[in-house]
Amino acid sequence: MNKVKFLLIAVFASVLLNGRAETKPLILVGPDEYQVLCISPNGTWACGDFNDFSYEDHAFRWNLVSGEIELLDTEHACSAWSINDDGVVAGTFTSTTINANHAPASIPGYWDGSWHAVELPEGAEAEGIGYGISEDGHYMCGSVLVKGIYKGYIWKDGKIYKQLSSKSHAMPYAISPDGQSATGWAFNSNRTATYWNAEGKENIMSTYQSPWSSGRRFSPDGKQIVFFGGWDMESEVDILRAIYNVETGEVTNIIFPEKIQDFDLFDISNDGLIAGSINNMAYLYKDGQSMLAYPYLKQRGVDFTNIDMMTLEGDTMPTLFRTQSLSADGNSMALLYYSKAQSLKSMVVRLNQDVVHGAPSHLVAKKMKKTEQVKLSWKAPLGVEGIKGYNVYRDGKKVNSQLVANNYYFDELTSVGTYTYKVGTLCSDDTEVMSEEQ
């Protein structure tokens, strides 16, 4: 595991509340060639893949509270496809313990500080993909190659929980929040967008088929699935992009004012905001209204002035080419773009960011050698303005006599023992927001 220096650009436009700025948009910008694939439902984590131009991807996890990015394996290929509210990642990693001869194998697993392999079925060819993770982190979905066919599974705590029915290949891309059902594609002469219910039974969401047909994501409340159905040029709706109601089975077509061929969709929020792209432009769609992401975000106060984005000759807007993922409330979104140096970049935009209150993060306590001191260090809350300082608490009692101005503190111990620490941010309105205990 490797901690990676992240790039942060906090770009603000004030929203006035009772005469003072309370919330502002916040933009976090990732390093070159880091592609975000998923944001956690609560908007505090993101994950994806970094490509180092060696034809290998390396998974990363991005803490959207502290801004810290960490690679999950710097030596072997791995991918991170989804992440839950606690930062647990579902993906694929390289294992040398599966095969008897220790040959590298790409297998599904989850990461919670280190990679863990899931149980493989009998006859597995030591190859598979992990895609979705449940809200509580106990369930994940994915596929394993068994006798030449990709079989779909849901795992619970790393053990096979159920196999997903299919006549042939089954590839579940996402899992429901409760971990009981999944969506993706099943192969029936071609790929078919599929929902597997709590019994693991295959439900076809569309009779249309194509090489790209699949269920893409559940809404974080589990009530909706956004999917690409495929195409049928003889039908009234020649290309089917739609929302599937999990409770009723009703399909709601996504209809544009004019036929748009090159629209793809990737995620859906609880209130039906859909993330996607049209003609290589980041798009959003909701309730029959389609919107380019760039003007949509500018209207909500996002200032892209200091973002290094490429603009093609003759275009009036920079190359935001995909809205990749959304938080449950739609207020955090991941977008992909190209820099002026033509590097692939990811940004996460957080709307309505509280700029008055925020807790310190990444609190670390370290006993100093040959002294009775403990060094405490922490990260300031991102985007919070006017911080007056910090207070340090040992076992619930404040130990600093004066407000701490720096992001570190040396605590003088008077006796040997076990202690717990917290640090509080003293905000501009004199509210104190506490860190987690260390």
Side-chain angles (χ1 to χ4, degrees):
M1 184 172 63
N2 186 33
K3 299 293 177 66
V4 179
K5 182 180 180 181
F6 71 93
L7 305 178
L8 167 68
I9 301 180
V11 184
F12 299 121
S14 300
V15 179
L16 295 182
L17 180 65
N18 297 328
R20 60 174 299 192
E22 297 286 345
T23 62
K24 300 177 181 180
L26 174 68
I27 300 178
L28 294 91
V29 175
D32 291 354
E33 308 303 332
Y34 279 64
Q35 179 176 347
V36 169
L37 297 174
C38 182
I39 289 181
S40 64
N42 63 3
T44 61
W45 296 95
C47 70
D49 290 350
F50 161 64
N51 189 285
D52 61 1
F53 300 103
S54 66
Y55 301 101
E56 281 191 350
D57 287 336
H58 297 274
F60 69 87
R61 186 178 72 161
W62 192 352
N63 186 322
L64 301 178
V65 176
S66 69
E68 186 176 53
I69 295 177
E70 54 188 327
L71 289 170
L72 308 189
D73 190 333
T74 59
E75 297 181 1
H76 304 99
C78 54
S79 293
W81 287 101
S82 60
I83 189 166
N84 76 347
D85 287 345
D86 296 319
V88 181
V89 169
T92 303
F93 73 104
T94 302
S95 172
T96 58
T97 62
I98 298 298
N99 292 317
N101 62 357
H102 301 291
S106 181
I107 61 172
Y110 62 95
W111 189 94
D112 61 0
S114 61
W115 281 108
H116 304 276
V118 296
E119 179 185 8
L120 299 180
E122 185 177 350
E125 298 172 28
E127 181 177 331
I129 306 172
Y131 278 117
I133 193 158
S134 63
E135 186 176 45
D136 62 8
H138 287 288
Y139 300 87
M140 63 171 285
C141 69
S143 294
V144 178
L145 189 64
V146 181
K147 298 179 181 179
I149 296 177
Y150 276 100
K151 301 290 187 179
Y153 294 91
I154 290 178
W155 292 272
K156 180 181 180 181
D157 297 328
K159 301 296 184 182
I160 293 176
Y161 180 63
K162 68 180 73 170
Q163 182 177 344
L164 305 175
S165 68
S166 177
K167 297 176 182 178
S168 182
H169 300 284
M171 190 70 69
Y173 286 159
I175 195 169
S176 60
D178 63 4
Q180 299 304 302
S181 54
T183 189
W185 60 264
F187 197 86
N188 296 285
S189 74
N190 206 334
R191 294 186 183 184
T192 307
T194 303
Y195 161 65
W196 290 275
N197 63 19
E199 287 72 44
K201 183 180 178 181
E202 176 184 8
N203 293 270
I204 303 302
M205 294 188 289
S206 166
T207 57
Y208 292 27
Q209 296 183 351
S210 81
W212 298 276
S213 298
S214 70
R216 301 297 171 81
R217 290 277 183 185
F218 285 89
S219 58
D221 59 13
K223 295 180 179 180
Q224 304 173 90
I225 297 171
V226 63
F227 73 95
F228 179 74
W231 53 74
D232 182 350
M233 294 308 179
E234 296 179 1
S235 173
E236 181 181 352
V237 181
D238 58 348
I239 299 178
L240 181 62
R241 314 167 183 95
I243 301 169
Y244 180 83
N245 186 306
V246 174
E247 295 177 352
T248 66
E250 180 183 2
V251 172
T252 303
N253 294 346
I254 297 173
I255 305 296
F256 293 94
E258 57 186 37
K259 287 188 177 181
I260 299 176
Q261 301 293 323
D262 190 23
F263 174 66
D264 207 352
L265 30 76
F266 302 101
D267 204 355
I268 183 170
S269 68
N270 283 342
D271 65 356
L273 182 66
I274 293 173
S277 66
I278 292 180
N279 298 325
N280 291 320
M281 294 183 294
Y283 239 75
L284 296 161
Y285 178 94
K286 184 181 179 183
D287 298 333
Q289 300 294 318
S290 57
M291 307 151 280
L292 283 168
Y294 183 76
Y296 173 89
L297 293 170
K298 289 195 71 175
Q299 290 169 9
R300 284 154 180 77
V302 179
D303 183 359
F304 294 99
T305 303
N306 295 322
I307 307 298
D308 175 33
M309 289 191 287
M310 180 175 66
T311 301
L312 296 176
E313 187 176 353
D315 287 349
T316 58
M317 289 185 294
T319 56
L320 276 175
F321 70 87
R322 181 185 298 173
T323 314
Q324 179 70 45
S325 187
L326 301 166
S327 60
D329 60 9
N331 282 328
S332 295
M333 61 184 69
L335 302 107
L336 306 181
Y337 69 100
Y338 287 103
S339 69
K340 292 176 183 176
Q342 302 184 25
S343 294
L344 174 65
K345 305 274 287 187
S346 294
M347 72 170 71
V348 174
V349 177
R350 304 183 70 182
L351 301 172
N352 305 323
Q353 173 80 19
D354 187 345
V355 296
V356 176
H357 310 104
S361 63
H362 282 67
L363 175 61
V364 176
K366 183 178 180 180
K367 176 70 169 61
M368 303 301 290
K369 293 180 179 180
K370 299 181 181 180
T371 72
E372 298 304 317
Q373 286 185 328
V374 172
K375 181 182 179 180
L376 300 158
S377 61
W378 58 89
K379 289 183 178 293
L382 288 181
V384 175
E385 300 175 337
I387 294 174
K388 292 184 176 181
Y390 302 95
N391 288 313
V392 178
Y393 296 86
R394 184 201 321 127
D395 292 340
K397 296 181 180 180
K398 191 171 76 167
V399 295
N400 54 300
S401 58
Q402 295 182 337
L403 206 58
V404 179
N406 300 309
N407 291 356
Y408 59 87
Y409 181 80
F410 290 92
D411 182 28
E412 296 280 355
L413 298 177
T414 57
S415 60
V416 176
T418 302
Y419 303 98
T420 59
Y421 289 91
K422 285 186 177 181
V423 175
T425 305
L426 188 62
C427 304
S428 60
D429 63 354
D430 291 326
T431 300
E432 190 168 28
V433 184
M434 304 300 294
S435 71
E436 294 184 354
E437 192 172 78
Q438 174 66 40

